[in-house]
Structures are given as C-alpha cells and as structure tokens.
Amino acid sequence: MLTISPEARRYALEKGASLFLEYLTVNNCCIPFQTEPSVRYGKPHDPEHYQKAEIEGIDVYIPLDLPDVPLAIELNTFIGLKRLVVTGWRHA
C-alpha cells in the first residue's frame, strides 16, 4: 500500500509529472540486499515491470516486485531544498 502526503501531493503537482519508484535488488554478494525505493519524476523506461496506479490524482508507477508493505511518499526539505522521499521502508 502506497500513500502520498498532502505536502508531497502539492509538490508533485507543481512539477506536473507522474512519479515512479526506483527499486533495486543487489545480488552480488552472499546476502541479497534491497535498496530503499527512491522517487523519480516521469515514467519508467521499462513500464512492463511496473503497475500504474492513480494515487491522490497522480499517476504513480510501482515496481511489480516491491514488497506489499505500508509506504508513503512524503516531502523532505533540507536547507531549502525539496525532494520527495519514501518513508516506512524496512530492510529485511
């Protein structure tokens, strides 16, 4: 389940773009590692690996292999710089 905070929604709409989550699994060592999803603007280059969902009026492309855990897209501000981040991720 993925949600978008009101602040993140406003910021995404200002950018005028759809969003997608970039999510990688690293299998190069003895223990597989799943990176924290990051938020990107636009559409993914490989849409066949994503499910398109409309969340709060925004098209969001979610990786098919993303674990089904409660996640939220929120607005993070640091020294006046704004970016969208995923919260709620837990490394297995």
Side-chain angles (χ1 to χ4, degrees):
M1 180 174 83
L2 181 67
T3 60
I4 300 177
S5 73
E7 298 82 10
R9 180 183 181 277
R10 280 192 293 276
Y11 187 71
L13 289 173
E14 286 174 14
K15 295 287 188 178
S18 56
L19 304 174
F20 69 96
L21 299 185
E22 188 171 63
Y23 168 75
L24 302 172
T25 299
V26 180
N27 290 314
N28 292 352
C29 67
C30 56
I31 301 172
F33 177 74
Q34 297 170 326
T35 63
E36 180 175 312
S38 57
V39 182
R40 305 284 186 228
Y41 296 100
K43 297 179 182 178
H45 296 290
D46 52 353
E48 66 276 4
H49 298 283
Y50 288 80
Q51 174 186 348
K52 181 181 175 184
E54 184 179 320
I55 304 172
E56 298 292 327
I58 299 171
D59 288 338
V60 181
Y61 294 83
I62 304 167
L64 294 173
D65 60 350
L66 186 72
D68 187 21
V69 296
L71 299 174
I73 297 175
E74 296 186 4
L75 181 64
N76 183 295
T77 304
F78 180 71
I79 316 174
L81 300 173
K82 296 179 180 180
R83 67 184 187 117
L84 297 178
V85 298
V86 174
T87 61
W89 180 254
R90 302 285 184 261
H91 293 285

